[in-house]
Amino acid sequence: MAVDYTVIVVYLAGMLAMGWWGMRRAKSKSEFLVAGRRLGPAMYSGTMAAIVLGGASTIGGVGLGYQYGLSGAWMVFTIGLGLLALSVFFSARIARLKVYTVSEMLDLRYGGRAGVISGVVMWAYTLMLAVTSTIAYATIFDVLFDVNRTVAIILGGAIVVAYSTLGGMWSITLTDMVQFVVKTIGVLLLLLPIAVVKAGGFAEMKAELPTSYFDPLGVGGETIFTYVLIYTFGMLIGQDIWQRVFTARSDRTARWGGTVAGTYCLAYAVAGAVIGTAAKVLYPNLGSPDDAFATIVKDELPVGVRGLVLAAALAAVMSTSSGALIACATVANNDIWSRLRGLAKRSAEHEEHDEVAGNRAFILVMGLAVIGTAIALNDVVQALTVAYNLLVGGLLVPILGGLLWKRGTAQGALAAVAVGGLAVIGLMAGYGILANEPVYYGLLASLVAYVAVSLATRPTDEAVLAAWRERLAGRSPELPSETVPAHQ
């Protein structure tokens, strides 16, 4: 394993080095939180694909393939569909808003009264997303170094917190590009063909496994519908995803770069399911489907290649973890802490200087909170389900309503967040966290509250809507000059 260890250690050292380099570049709030809003198509596509394809998509995607066959691709496939929908229909408008958080978008659309409560819901989502990614370190480091769960979480979490705190979005962007390349080589170009060959090819796989393993809908129609509701719609509104959209240097970059990333996700989904199906042929009696990835890597890959593929799994986890961490810290600082303190506006230059240090401190604090929570929790699936149920049940309707329905009001938005969020929490307590009903009924309750309260209250002030339309068109005179670099 010495060669494999060397590959992993070099990879982790490179992540820290990029954090240090990013620290020298992130001199303003825009540079630190959204990479100066100047990523081109190649970097934008790579980093967007990296953040959405995390440990759940890699280890979990292979596990679903092991359990259900080719239809196990649906979870990751719906993530790709959501990213495609976001890129084609909404990303250009989102990028033109030149904001930093989803709650700031809601404030612009509804007149400044939806920020704190929506910020709390988004913060809870991003925190749990970061926690689930951090828990996944335990699986990978256990295979790599045979260390206990707590040490693995602290080791992996400390590296992500370090480079994220140092350089913010610049560090995360650079590390995500490396992680994208490592994942592409490790999973798509190496593990996929090797797994199929080791399993005897597709003909042997079909002969060994039940026909349900090759049924595109074998996982079940209700499960697929739930995946669409949670993951496809979740991609449309998550702060971690929007914060990447904000890094695009133009509307075209956001649209086409995101389309490329979404298409890549579809291919990654199929690859994971095929690898899991091959693992079922090779190891029909594993204790848990989630063990499939680590087992096939450990037992079937040659020295060196094994290290690279494990680095790919580590890359998947780290990219999602770092993206969720900076999103969590951005929401906590900009949408909750600053609003509750009622900070007065200062000069732009002084504010920018102070806010880099402030956001850096929040990443560090949130990072420590994430590591501590990850150590305390055991069930990744339950934590991720709670996160997405809160996100979709509480925020989907007011966000998409604000983008698509002129008659939506601030009161309707607040009612939708409150009713949807409380309904989801209550229904999870009644039906169980992993049940499908909480997100179904919570989303319906949110929609009813939004429409009913919006129609029962005065329309949004025309001046607010006019300013909103100007921002959507990218014509607002209030855009900070620092978000449009001269050398772009």
Side-chain angles (χ1 to χ4, degrees):
M1 292 287 288
V3 175
D4 295 326
Y5 289 160
T6 302
V7 171
I8 298 297
V9 170
V10 169
Y11 170 77
L12 294 176
M15 297 299 99
L16 292 174
M18 289 182 185
W20 182 260
W21 186 90
M23 181 179 68
R24 301 175 60 188
R25 184 145 190 181
K27 301 298 185 183
S28 69
K29 179 181 178 182
S30 175
E31 296 280 354
F32 190 81
L33 293 182
V34 290
R37 307 187 195 274
R38 48 182 170 171
L39 296 191
M43 289 194 76
Y44 180 86
S45 298
T47 58
M48 183 62 88
I51 189 176
V52 300
L53 296 174
S57 300
T58 303
I59 299 170
V62 171
L64 287 170
Y66 182 89
Q67 188 173 2
Y68 298 107
L70 298 185
S71 67
W74 274 105
M75 183 187 78
V76 183
F77 203 83
T78 55
I79 290 174
L81 292 178
L83 187 51
L84 284 171
L86 174 72
S87 302
V88 172
F89 299 112
F90 299 108
S91 63
R93 283 184 283 178
I94 293 170
R96 285 195 293 264
L97 290 174
K98 295 293 191 290
V99 294
Y100 293 101
T101 68
V102 174
S103 294
E104 288 180 11
M105 167 263 168
L106 291 173
D107 277 352
L108 282 171
R109 167 60 181 83
Y110 295 113
R113 286 175 288 176
V116 174
I117 187 171
S118 62
V120 170
V121 174
M122 188 63 77
W123 174 79
Y125 157 72
T126 53
L127 178 72
M128 296 310 294
L129 185 61
V131 166
T132 58
S133 301
T134 304
I135 291 173
Y137 294 132
T139 302
I140 300 169
F141 278 97
D142 178 54
V143 174
L144 287 173
F145 305 119
D146 194 25
V147 296
N148 70 51
R149 180 179 181 277
T150 299
V151 173
I153 288 172
I154 292 173
L155 178 59
I159 293 170
V160 169
V161 172
Y163 73 69
S164 301
T165 301
L166 286 172
M169 187 60 82
W170 268 122
S171 294
I172 292 170
T173 296
L174 293 170
T175 54
D176 276 0
M177 277 304 298
V178 174
Q179 288 156 359
F180 171 74
V181 172
V182 170
K183 277 192 289 194
T184 301
I185 296 173
V187 176
L188 295 184
L189 301 184
L190 293 176
L191 182 57
L192 174 60
I194 290 173
V196 172
V197 170
K198 291 282 187 177
F202 284 103
E204 181 67 20
M205 290 162 64
K206 285 187 175 181
E208 291 287 330
L209 297 173
T211 55
S212 62
Y213 267 70
F214 301 91
D215 180 358
L217 303 179
V219 72
E222 183 179 355
T223 299
I224 295 171
F225 178 73
T226 303
Y227 285 157
V228 170
L229 202 59
I230 294 177
Y231 297 115
T232 301
F233 285 115
M235 287 296 106
L236 298 180
I237 58 175
Q239 170 67 26
D240 52 323
I241 309 302
W242 278 40
Q243 200 154 341
R244 296 310 173 99
V245 175
F246 300 151
T247 66
R249 73 183 178 199
S250 67
D251 300 355
R252 185 178 177 84
T253 296
R255 183 181 293 113
W256 292 110
T259 301
V260 170
T263 305
Y264 178 90
C265 292
L266 302 183
Y268 200 87
V270 175
V274 171
I275 293 167
T277 305
K280 183 67 175 179
V281 174
L282 295 167
Y283 312 99
N285 299 310
L286 289 179
S288 167
D290 285 343
D291 293 337
F293 180 88
T295 303
I296 196 170
V297 169
K298 195 173 183 179
D299 293 350
E300 302 297 336
L301 298 186
V303 172
V305 173
R306 180 171 50 205
L308 183 60
V309 174
L310 286 172
L314 194 59
V317 176
M318 293 178 82
S319 58
T320 300
S321 181
S322 59
L325 176 59
I326 193 171
C328 178
T330 303
V331 170
N333 188 16
N334 291 268
D335 293 338
I336 301 174
W337 179 246
S338 294
R339 293 168 191 259
L340 293 178
R341 288 183 63 195
L343 294 178
K345 269 287 185 184
R346 295 162 291 186
S347 69
E349 182 179 352
H350 185 60
E351 179 181 339
E352 287 296 321
H353 176 74
D354 279 358
E355 290 205 26
V356 171
N359 281 292
R360 184 172 280 135
F362 263 85
I363 290 178
L364 178 59
V365 171
M366 290 297 108
L368 295 175
V370 164
I371 292 172
T373 307
I375 292 171
L377 290 180
N378 285 313
D379 197 317
V380 179
V381 175
Q382 288 197 3
L384 194 62
T385 302
V386 170
Y388 273 99
N389 280 355
L390 279 173
L391 177 71
V392 174
L395 290 179
L396 178 67
V397 169
I399 291 172
L400 293 189
L403 289 169
L404 300 173
W405 191 39
K406 178 182 176 181
R407 186 62 181 81
T409 66
Q411 294 87 344
L414 289 170
V417 174
V419 171
L422 291 174
V424 163
I425 293 170
L427 290 164
M428 283 192 293
Y431 284 98
I433 289 176
L434 298 180
N436 293 327
E437 287 83 359
V439 72
Y440 295 166
Y441 299 141
L443 190 56
L444 179 61
S446 180
L447 178 61
V448 170
Y450 181 70
V451 173
V453 175
S454 291
L455 292 176
T457 52
R458 295 181 60 185
T460 303
D461 187 88
E462 187 54 41
V464 172
L465 290 177
W468 165 253
R469 287 191 292 268
E470 288 295 299
R471 289 295 281 264
L472 278 179
R475 295 192 299 264
S476 172
E478 300 176 8
L479 294 181
S481 60
E482 56 88 18
T483 63
V484 188
H487 57 277
Q488 184 175 309

